[in-house]
């Protein structure tokens, strides 16, 4: 059965691929699973039909037969469990790859998300300018630890896995800040992820949606 995911009808990032449907698209592309996309507006995301799928009114969601999932990591994990290619067969290596998925989401992503909170959510607050350097330093600390662990390796633990997929997508959000460039080995790691044909297909698919929505907005 072809799964259906949800994505922004008009992504706020204008097609940079930072929306979390890109992770899911990438995972589906890595395992060769075709998928359908249902585009939702911000208004639709907060309406009962979408809230029944996603209690927090967000994207992405994933529907497949009688199964409905939310949370990008859970969706990527489900895809990785159902198909070969994103998690190693060896139980210990598999557990380590899953650990990297959690590390991406619960240790590396939170400080990175603080940039957006400080910029957009608290942009008008008096503490904004004082807070930003603190956030940047906290992120630098995490990146230094991650770079130390990655070392000269291509991927975090052996072959490319769902752990790398999540980590690369989390790190991509740092590009506009210039922070990623301060850690050349991590910048190269992200570039390796982006060079994967599956990532390129996922990126192109989300970009096509963003371009179509920008064209429609310009014509309106
Ligand atoms: N932890 C969730 C976060 C989902 C999330 O933040 N989605 C964003 C798009 S990337 C969203 O829907 N934002 C709109 C909103 O929260 O109203 C996941 O990984 O799926």
């Amino acid at each position: 059965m072809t799964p259906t995911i949800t994505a922004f009808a008009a992504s706020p990032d204008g097609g940079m691929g930072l929306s979390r449907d890109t992770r899911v698209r990438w995972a589906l592309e890595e395992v060769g699973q075709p998928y359908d996309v249902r585009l939702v507006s911000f208004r639709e995301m907060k309406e009962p039909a979408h809230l029944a799928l996603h209690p927090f009114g967000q994207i992405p969601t994933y529907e497949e037969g009688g199964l409905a999932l939310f949370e990008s990591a859970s969706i990527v994990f489900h895809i990785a469990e159902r198909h070969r290619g994103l998690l190693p067969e060896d139980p210990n290596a598999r557990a380590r790859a899953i650990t990297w998925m959690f590390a991406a989401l619960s240790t590396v992503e939170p400080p990175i998300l603080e940039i957006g909170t400080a910029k957009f959510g608290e942009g008008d607050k008096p503490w904004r300018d004082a807070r930003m350097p603190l956030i940047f330093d906290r992120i630098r600390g995490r990146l230094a630890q991650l770079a130390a662990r990655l070392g000269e390796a291509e991927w975090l633990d052996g072959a490319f896995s769902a752990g790398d997929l999540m980590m690369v997508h989390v790190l991509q959000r740092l590009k506009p800040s210039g922070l990623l460039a301060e850690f050349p080995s991590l910048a190269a790691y992200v570039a390796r992820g982006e060079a994967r044909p599956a990532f390129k297909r996922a990126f192109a698919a989300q970009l096509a949606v963003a371009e179509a929505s920008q064209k429609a907005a310009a014509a309106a």
Side-chain angles (χ1 to χ4, degrees), residues 8 12 18-21 23 42 45-46 54 56-60 70-73 75 105 109 166 173:
F8 282 131
L18 301 179
S19 297
R20 291 167 177 83
D21 59 288
R23 302 168 179 180
F42 269 90
M45 282 163 52
K46 311 302 173 195
H54 196 309
F56 308 115
Q58 297 180 314
I59 58 100
F70 60 96
E71 286 296 334
S72 58
I75 298 168
L105 272 285
E109 189 172 51
M166 297 304 289
R173 193 173 285 267

Side-chain angles (χ1 to χ4, degrees), residues 21-210:
D21 59 288
T22 304
R23 302 168 179 180
V24 174
R25 292 174 186 270
W26 185 5
L28 288 162
E29 292 288 354
E30 286 285 351
V31 301
Q33 170 64 55
Y35 60 98
D36 293 325
V37 183
R38 190 169 64 253
L39 301 176
V40 288
S41 65
F42 269 90
R43 185 179 49 75
E44 286 165 335
M45 282 163 52
K46 311 302 173 195
E47 287 176 349
H50 189 76
L51 286 169
L53 290 173
H54 196 309
F56 308 115
Q58 297 180 314
I59 58 100
T61 59
Y62 176 98
E63 293 158 82
E64 182 192 15
L67 176 68
L69 295 174
F70 60 96
E71 286 296 334
S72 58
S74 163
I75 298 168
V76 169
F77 182 57
H78 172 75
I79 295 164
E81 287 269 89
R82 291 286 168 95
H83 303 267
R84 283 171 177 271
L86 281 173
L87 287 174
E89 296 291 323
D90 172 71
N92 286 355
R94 195 176 182 89
R96 289 195 302 271
I98 294 166
T99 299
W100 279 116
M101 293 183 71
F102 278 86
L105 272 285
S106 56
T107 303
V108 178
E109 189 172 51
I112 293 174
L113 293 179
E114 284 301 303
I115 297 179
T117 306
K119 248 193 204 165
F120 306 114
E122 302 169 358
D124 56 345
K125 303 286 188 259
W127 60 79
R128 178 201 187 269
D129 287 344
R131 189 163 175 243
M132 202 57 99
L134 300 177
I135 295 173
F136 270 46
D137 278 347
R138 231 170 274 145
I139 296 170
R140 281 190 186 98
R142 280 283 176 261
L143 296 184
Q145 291 168 320
L146 185 63
R149 174 52 76 97
L150 180 66
E152 302 291 312
E154 196 177 4
W155 305 114
L156 287 166
D157 193 307
F160 175 84
S161 77
D164 294 297
L165 186 153
M166 297 304 289
M167 191 66 82
V168 167
H169 194 251
V170 161
L171 294 176
Q172 280 175 323
R173 193 173 285 267
L174 282 174
K175 279 189 181 174
S177 72
L179 278 172
L180 192 59
E182 291 181 21
F183 296 84
S185 68
L186 294 182
Y189 169 67
V190 169
R192 279 194 290 281
E194 291 173 346
R196 294 179 72 82
F199 174 80
K200 288 185 181 169
R201 289 194 294 274
F203 185 86
Q206 65 77 37
L207 181 61
V209 173

